[in-house]
């Protein structure tokens, strides 16, 4: 055990926690085993409401039988268009236990995207969260001849709405209970129809270079991967998880819902995406998985809070963090920590670091996990200095999520760790592309055999499109996406490394470095609205709206200072020579952003081509 974290409860769990070779099989066995223990929690009108395993089991059974009553057949697809709420899980498991295929649609998708996804997946039933999402489906239903029913979770805005195709989830469950009573044995038969090799779920990729592709994951893929996660780091029924990332995304679907289904960890649902900072402090998860954007926001909030603290508090924080960094570096290097430094770290925790952890909500966390995008190594070190291990994982939807993982006993900031024990990972000798092979690799892309053939070669290796390196200990590092490596000033450059360092600034939310076949690098920058607005207010900088804020001389100088800081860490040819601020305040609904709130490089480069060109005029 180190003085930073207790490794006794982070060790892999090789045994099978819950038997079953399909998702319905594992779910039913989990319900039988865990009974009245709490599985999920959600906040309703300021009060936490718990769902036991038995209660969840009944709700899923009623949902599945409600679908059967509607004529939903085994093998058919049902889509779920909703934010991350308890009903999402009920619908997902209900569809699977009815013998169907479950597909998720991002709640930020437009009606045209909903049409494409439902048409491509041959959806016959759509679950929607509320009237807003219902409107999208109603707008395109005339062009979806296979669609027969729409089920609504929240009917608050639809009290006087009537449509023969539309029903509430509550009404569907009542109908399912009646159907179940009249058809004994039907539920058992439906659950048993699924075979390990059958298609279970569809997860559509973001489609930054064309139409989204439906990645097909079988029951065997999901079950094997969920069990495999426990070989990387164990999770138990004593753990508290926070469910807040989109359940359409592989990270929350497999790493959240299905991993909790297998291990028994409790899922706590946030009230809405805007309340994540408040909810995390209230939930205080013991296991916290998030994307770099979340970890960056927490760091930014602390940085701003420290800048507003008293002089004494600032001195205490800097001293305490310095002690934490010294301890973390010795642990990372595998060196013993002297007794005097251990004592200093205990004082540092009491003086400042424990308060910082409570401010974020990670004071109970056994470990943090980051994935789905690259993260700055300095940010990982900052969390380590607080005394919480941050473990980086890497993988794709097509590989069932994590294919590599950093072990808590051997953290290397900037590394994605060695191959997970349940799959193989190697570098293509010709291109250094990372390749993955194992039972976790997906079945292929729905309706796109040519794309499937491009992704999986004849030997079963998944071509990920990520370029990397591997050291003599088998630890991989990601250099960049193959398609994103640029040549500027006569040298190949990986923009993600620069972008990660820029995003480490509390004033920068995201950045896209460009310059392929150009004489030098430039960058498009998206500012952190909250922090930059506060900076402007504190320094009496006048502005009327978001666009005017980005144009002020003071904000331009602020971002230039952050750019200068990053440039000092890179060789001259790798430095960013000019930047422009994106003047539009982007949200998840905007096409420029992926569902995990990353700027889409190719889309941004195309949309802001004139802005980019302005940085090269005059040489």
């Amino acid at each position: 055990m180190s003085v930073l974290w207790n490794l006794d409860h982070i060790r892999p769990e090789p045994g099978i926690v819950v038997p079953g070779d399909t998702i319905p099989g594992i779910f039913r066995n989990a319900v039988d085993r865990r009974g009245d223990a709490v599985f999920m929690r959600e906040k309703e009108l300021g009060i936490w409401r718990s769902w036991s395993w038995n209660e969840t089991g009944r709700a899923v059974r009623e949902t599945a039988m409600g679908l059967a009553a509607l004529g939903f057949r085994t093998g058919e697809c049902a889509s779920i268009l909703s934010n991350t709420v308890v009903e999402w899980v009920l619908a997902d498991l209900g569809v699977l236990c009815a013998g169907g295929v479950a597909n998720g649609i991002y709640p930020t998708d437009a009606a045209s995207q909903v049409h494409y996804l439902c048409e491509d997946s041959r959806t016959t039933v759509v679950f929607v969260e509320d009237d807003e999402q219902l409107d999208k489906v109603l707008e395109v239903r005339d062009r979806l001849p296979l669609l027969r029913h729409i089920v609504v979770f929240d009917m608050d805005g639809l009290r006087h709405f009537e449509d023969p195709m539309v029903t509430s989830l509550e009404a569907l469950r009542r109908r399912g209970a009646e159907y179940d009573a009249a058809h004994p044995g039907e539920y058992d038969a439906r659950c048993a129809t699924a075979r390990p090799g059958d298609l279970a779920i569809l997860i559509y990729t973001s489609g930054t270079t064309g139409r989204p592709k439906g990645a097909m994951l079988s029951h065997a893929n999901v079950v094997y991967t969920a069990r495999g996660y426990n070989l990387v780091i164990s999770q138990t029924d004593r753990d508290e998880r926070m469910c807040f990332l989109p359940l359409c995304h592989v990270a929350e679907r497999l790493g959240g819902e299905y991993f909790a289904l297998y291990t028994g960890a409790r899922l706590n649902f946030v009230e809405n995406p805007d309340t994540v900072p408040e909810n995390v402090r209230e939930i205080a998860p013991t296991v916290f998985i998030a994307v770099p954007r979340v970890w960056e926001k927490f760091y930014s909030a602390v940085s701003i809070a420290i800048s507003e603290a008293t002089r004494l508090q600032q001195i205490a924080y800097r001293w305490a963090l310095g002690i934490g960094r010294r301890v973390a570096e010795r642990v990372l290097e595998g060196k013993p920590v002297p007794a005097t430094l251990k004592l200093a770290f205990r004082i540092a925790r009491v003086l400042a670091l424990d308060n910082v952890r409570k401010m974020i909500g990670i004071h109970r966390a056994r470990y943090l996990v980051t994935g789905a995008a690259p993260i700055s190594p300095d940010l990982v070190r900052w969390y380590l200095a607080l005394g919480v291990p941050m473990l980086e994982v890497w993988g794709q939807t097509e590989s069932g999520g994590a294919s590599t993982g950093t072990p808590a006993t051997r953290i290397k900031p900037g590394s994605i760790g060695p191959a997970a024990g349940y799959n193989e990972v190697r570098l293509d000798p010709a291109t250094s592309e990372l390749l993955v092979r194992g039972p976790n690799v997906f079945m292929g892309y729905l309706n796109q055999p040519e794309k499937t053939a491009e992704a999986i070669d004849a030997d079963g290796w998944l071509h990920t499109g990520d370029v990397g390196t591997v050291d003599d200990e088998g630890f991989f590092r990601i250099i960049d996406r193959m398609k994103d490596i640029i040549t500027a000033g006569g040298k190949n450059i990986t923009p993600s490394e620069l972008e990660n360092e820029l995003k480490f600034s509390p004033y920068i939310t995201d950045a896209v470095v460009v310059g392929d076949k150009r004489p030098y690098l430039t960058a498009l920058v998206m500012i952190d609205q909250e922090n930059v607005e506060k900076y402007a207010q504190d320094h009496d900088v006048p502005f009327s709206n978001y666009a005017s804020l980005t144009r002020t001389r003071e904000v331009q100088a602020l971002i230039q200072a952050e750019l200068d800081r990053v440039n000092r860490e890179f060789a001259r040819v790798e430095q960013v020579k000019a930047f422009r601020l994106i003047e539009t305040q982007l949200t998840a609904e905007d096409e420029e952003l992926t569902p995990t709130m990353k700027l889409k490089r190719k889309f941004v480069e195309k949309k802001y081509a004139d802005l980019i060109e302005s940085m090269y005029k005059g040489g």
Side-chain angles (χ1 to χ4, degrees), residues 479-480 485-502 512-515 518-523 563-578 616:
I479 295 175
D480 217 320
I485 294 176
I486 60 181
T487 301
K491 180 180 179 182
N492 284 345
I493 295 169
T494 57
S496 64
E497 189 174 2
L498 279 156
E499 291 160 358
N500 288 338
E501 293 305 316
L502 286 170
V512 170
V513 172
V514 295
R518 303 271 198 171
Y520 52 86
L521 299 179
T522 59
L563 184 62
D564 292 342
R565 172 185 59 81
V566 171
N567 275 338
R568 286 193 288 270
E569 303 298 320
F570 292 88
R572 182 175 295 275
V573 72
E574 297 173 317
Q575 293 178 358
V576 176
K577 305 301 183 186
Y616 292 97

Side-chain angles (χ1 to χ4, degrees), residues 258-389:
Y258 296 145
F259 194 28
L261 183 71
Y262 177 62
T263 61
R266 286 179 292 280
L267 289 178
N268 297 273
F269 288 76
V270 300
E271 295 171 83
N272 61 67
D274 295 328
T275 63
V276 169
E278 294 78 17
N279 290 154
V280 67
R281 287 192 289 269
E282 188 174 4
I283 295 165
T286 60
V287 174
F288 196 174
I289 299 177
V291 296
R293 178 74 174 268
V294 174
W295 303 124
E296 291 157 2
K297 290 289 287 184
F298 288 152
Y299 168 77
S300 295
V302 171
S303 297
I304 296 301
I306 294 300
S307 70
E308 297 173 346
T310 66
R311 178 68 176 164
L312 185 61
Q313 289 172 325
Q314 291 176 350
I315 292 172
Y317 168 76
R318 293 192 184 101
W319 176 83
L321 190 66
I323 294 295
R325 290 188 190 279
R326 287 172 57 193
V327 176
E329 287 305 318
R330 294 193 71 88
V331 173
L332 292 174
E333 293 169 2
K335 297 178 179 178
V337 180
T340 53
L341 190 53
K342 288 182 181 180
L343 177 61
F345 182 70
R346 292 191 183 98
I347 296 172
R349 286 192 57 173
V350 172
L351 195 62
L353 300 185
D354 283 352
N355 288 333
V356 172
R357 287 162 61 162
K358 287 177 182 177
M359 175 184 170
I360 298 172
I362 58 173
H363 49 287
R364 292 202 303 159
R366 297 193 290 114
Y367 58 88
L368 312 174
V369 178
T370 182
I375 189 169
S376 168
D378 287 338
L379 191 57
V380 174
R381 290 188 178 92
W382 183 77
Y383 282 98
L384 294 178
L386 297 182
V388 187

Side-chain angles (χ1 to χ4, degrees), residues 22-245:
T22 64
I23 301 171
I26 285 184
F27 173 64
R28 299 184 73 192
N29 287 332
V31 170
D32 289 343
R33 175 174 297 187
R34 297 174 183 139
D36 290 328
V38 174
F39 175 33
M40 300 185 291
R41 294 171 71 237
E42 63 178 339
K43 208 170 187 182
E44 292 181 349
L45 301 175
I47 300 173
W48 285 98
R49 181 252 204 268
S50 296
W51 288 74
S52 70
W53 284 90
N54 280 334
E55 187 177 4
T56 305
R58 285 193 296 272
V60 168
R61 181 173 184 138
E62 290 168 359
T63 302
M65 290 297 90
L67 289 170
L70 293 179
F72 183 76
R73 294 184 289 272
T74 58
E76 287 188 335
C77 180
S79 292
I80 307 168
L81 174 57
S82 169
N83 283 291
T84 300
V85 293
V86 163
E87 289 83 1
W88 212 111
V89 175
L90 301 181
D92 183 32
L93 295 175
V95 170
L96 294 170
C97 288
V101 176
N103 170 53
I105 302 177
Y106 288 102
T108 54
D109 281 355
S112 59
Q113 294 167 305
V114 172
H115 171 259
Y116 169 75
L117 296 173
C118 288
E119 182 179 54
D120 190 62
S121 61
R122 299 179 63 83
T123 288
T124 61
V125 176
V126 176
F127 291 85
V128 300
E129 182 178 5
D130 51 22
D131 54 339
E132 178 188 352
Q133 305 301 342
L134 174 63
D135 285 341
K136 297 177 186 178
V137 181
L138 294 179
E139 183 180 333
V140 299
R141 67 171 166 178
D142 290 342
R143 291 183 283 144
L144 295 170
L146 296 179
L147 182 63
R148 300 194 300 270
H149 300 283
I150 305 170
V151 182
V152 184
F153 296 159
D154 181 1
M155 296 289 288
D156 281 352
L158 300 163
R159 296 187 186 280
H160 304 294
F161 178 83
E162 290 187 10
D163 188 300
M165 186 182 280
V166 180
T167 187
S168 68
L169 179 61
E170 183 180 2
L172 179 75
R173 287 181 55 187
R174 286 198 302 267
R175 185 169 180 176
E178 295 170 0
Y179 186 88
D180 194 19
H183 298 79
E186 173 74 6
Y187 180 66
D188 293 342
R190 286 278 188 143
C191 289
T193 57
R195 296 288 181 267
D198 291 345
L199 174 61
I201 64 173
L202 290 169
I203 299 180
Y204 278 83
T205 61
S206 59
T208 56
T209 57
R211 286 289 195 179
K213 301 187 293 291
M216 300 186 292
L217 294 172
S218 68
H219 287 274
N221 288 147
V222 174
V223 170
Y224 179 83
T225 304
R227 287 176 178 161
Y229 286 168
N230 246 17
L231 298 177
V232 180
I233 301 168
S234 67
Q235 176 178 284
T236 73
D237 57 8
R238 297 187 299 275
D239 279 312
E240 297 281 355
R241 294 287 306 275
M242 193 169 78
C243 200
F244 72 106
L245 297 172

